Amino acid sequence: MYCGSLVSISNKKSVMAVAINIVFVASLLGSCSGCHFPAIYNLGDSNSDTGSDSAAFGRVPPPCGESFFGRPSGRRSDGRLIIDFIADELKLPFLSPYLDAIESNFRHGANFAATSSTIQPADGNLFGAGFSSLSLDIQLLQYEQLKERTNELSDKAKNPNFTDRLPRPEEFSKALYTLDCGQNDLTYGLLNTTEKQVKASIPKIISQFAVAIKKLYQEGARIFWIHNTGPIGCLPIVVINRPPKPDNADPAGCLKSYNEVAQEFNKQLKDRVSQLRAELLGARLIYVDIYSAKYSLISEANKYGFVGPFINCCGHFGDYHVECGETAVVNGTEIFGASCGEPTKHISWDGIHYTEAANQWVANRILDGSLSDPPIPITKACLNVGRQQW
């Protein structure tokens, strides 16, 4: 009996050791497999607008959308945007714009980004200059309303077909929150004030951005993927309409002083994100250097199979001006802002926004985490947050 008891105890210890090893290995494999974000909530401007502006102020015209969707899709591009490639990477459907009443599905997130929107609250000056009333503070209100109404309806709704198109209340805190904004704040300043004044305005803009992050955190957001702003001085509409003088041209031919404004914005944004990490306990804030990815593409366009970076595919700038998808009378002749027919060879779609091919190229450079702080792939952005993985 005594000897048998020892054998039994020994066997139990062996079984327990095996079980512990299995659990340990399984946890390691779980970490390696990355995150399983149930949803994405995106805020920003036209770089990630999948249809808010189109739903609110008039449909984006063809030839936008021609390369991937075969029709206008609310995106100011010939096809997909970086936010679409983010959704693909996370194995989630494309985000429905919050303002679109037709066929929207918010089960896996929502997109609040709007073309021409700013971080600064839209006032009469911004709106009068052609910028959107759907600024970041309004997008936050839309998010809060979506969350509040989802919570209400999930308790009351009896129709599963209806609730299946809504987020799960418990998943708001497990979602990925992406932000891509700031370009229009700088553009407004550069068009209406001096470069010195724009730089002086950056701390206030960054503070307003930080307020938005804190509000999302208070609402339960924990994982943030934050893009800095791109090289404004390399946009074809800038280079063509404001050709840089020799002493103000960088090696790529971009307007150096405009890019320096963007770089200063990005420096202060990165610093503030670092501060927020210390303030927002249990959150993960990932700063993504999209500027470097875009500038690398623009400065070596031919190397990566693209034509000159200052040649937009749709519309025309320079000796005459025709917006993409619109018509204009030039010397008595009506001209349509058509597509070049080969958007895959162009970086710029319409002089401001990128083609699907360029968006995909940039997405491939940022999603692996090599341009992020901390350097972590988007598929593992949730790991070690509040000691919880999902």
Side-chain angles (χ1 to χ4, degrees):
M1 289 291 293
Y2 184 73
C3 184
S5 296
L6 288 176
V7 171
S8 177
I9 291 171
S10 175
N11 288 339
K12 287 179 179 178
K13 286 183 177 180
S14 298
V15 171
M16 185 176 293
V18 171
I20 290 172
N21 284 332
I22 291 172
V23 171
F24 177 70
V25 171
S27 68
L28 289 177
L29 291 174
S31 297
C32 293
S33 65
C35 309
H36 300 287
F37 290 109
I40 303 170
Y41 294 97
N42 181 68
L43 301 92
D45 53 31
S46 58
N47 289 313
S48 59
D49 180 2
T50 56
S52 289
D53 183 78
S54 184
F57 303 114
R59 194 176 189 190
V60 173
C64 290
E66 65 177 14
S67 295
F68 184 80
F69 300 97
R71 56 177 174 76
S73 65
R75 296 159 175 80
R76 297 199 178 262
S77 177
D78 63 304
R80 290 166 289 180
L81 309 179
I82 291 172
I83 188 64
D84 296 313
F85 292 109
I86 288 175
D88 276 342
E89 183 76 2
L90 298 178
K91 296 179 173 54
L92 293 172
F94 295 157
L95 298 182
S96 293
Y98 177 71
L99 294 180
D100 196 346
I102 308 298
E103 295 185 340
S104 287
N105 188 326
F106 304 124
R107 173 65 186 84
H108 295 288
N111 195 349
F112 305 93
T115 297
S116 300
S117 67
T118 54
I119 293 172
Q120 304 168 82
D123 58 13
N125 292 328
L126 281 164
F127 191 69
F131 292 88
S132 177
S133 57
L134 302 173
S135 47
L136 185 58
D137 58 325
I138 301 301
Q139 295 178 33
L140 278 169
L141 290 174
Q142 293 173 345
Y143 167 77
E144 290 167 3
Q145 182 179 107
L146 174 65
K147 185 182 176 188
E148 183 178 339
R149 297 195 66 194
T150 294
N151 289 333
E152 291 173 357
L153 292 170
S154 66
D155 293 334
K156 300 177 182 178
K158 297 180 180 179
N159 184 348
N161 294 327
F162 178 71
T163 54
D164 280 350
R165 302 176 73 86
L166 293 176
R168 298 291 182 268
E170 67 275 11
E171 292 179 348
F172 280 106
S173 62
K174 297 180 179 181
L176 178 69
Y177 290 79
T178 54
L179 295 98
D180 188 329
C181 43
Q183 179 174 315
N184 289 322
D185 297 86
L186 303 182
T187 299
Y188 169 75
L190 291 168
L191 292 176
N192 294 281
T193 65
T194 66
E195 291 165 14
K196 183 178 180 180
Q197 288 174 310
V198 179
K199 287 183 178 180
S201 73
I202 291 175
K204 182 179 179 181
I205 297 170
I206 297 296
S207 292
Q208 290 166 327
F209 181 83
V211 167
I213 294 291
K214 289 178 181 179
K215 286 184 177 179
L216 287 169
Y217 177 82
Q218 290 166 2
E219 289 288 332
R222 289 296 180 268
I223 319 296
F224 299 88
W225 181 266
I226 302 167
H227 292 177
N228 67 11
T229 199
I232 299 173
C234 296
L235 297 175
I237 194 170
V238 170
V239 176
I240 293 170
N241 289 339
R242 300 190 177 192
K245 296 178 181 180
D247 62 346
N248 195 24
D250 71 10
C254 305
L255 198 61
K256 182 170 67 174
S257 59
Y258 275 30
N259 281 349
E260 288 173 348
V261 170
Q263 290 164 2
E264 179 59 28
F265 174 90
N266 291 341
K267 176 183 178 299
Q268 294 190 34
L269 175 64
K270 186 176 183 180
D271 289 344
R272 182 56 66 90
V273 168
S274 180
Q275 293 172 17
L276 288 169
R277 289 193 191 107
E279 295 176 30
L280 307 181
L281 300 180
R284 159 91 30 116
L285 291 91
I286 300 172
Y287 170 89
V288 184
D289 186 12
I290 206 164
Y291 180 102
S292 292
K294 288 182 175 180
Y295 190 81
S296 176
L297 174 61
I298 290 165
S299 61
E300 299 183 282
N302 294 334
K303 173 183 174 180
Y304 297 116
F306 293 90
V307 299
F310 309 129
I311 305 172
N312 51 290
C313 175
C314 188
H316 184 87
F317 301 100
D319 51 342
Y320 64 90
H321 186 113
V322 183
E323 296 282 348
C324 177
E326 298 183 6
T327 57
V329 177
V330 179
N331 297 325
T333 302
E334 188 174 81
I335 296 178
F336 177 68
S339 167
C340 63
E342 293 183 310
T344 56
K345 295 183 179 180
H346 287 72
I347 293 173
S348 178
W349 169 240
D350 58 5
I352 300 174
H353 307 100
Y354 289 62
T355 60
E356 175 180 276
N359 283 325
Q360 185 169 25
W361 190 96
V362 173
N364 288 340
R365 297 311 182 279
I366 64 170
L367 296 180
D368 65 357
S370 59
L371 292 175
S372 297
D373 177 30
I376 186 167
I378 196 168
T379 53
K380 297 184 179 180
C382 72
L383 301 184
N384 299 322
V385 176
R387 298 182 180 179
Q388 183 177 12
Q389 301 164 11
W390 48 77

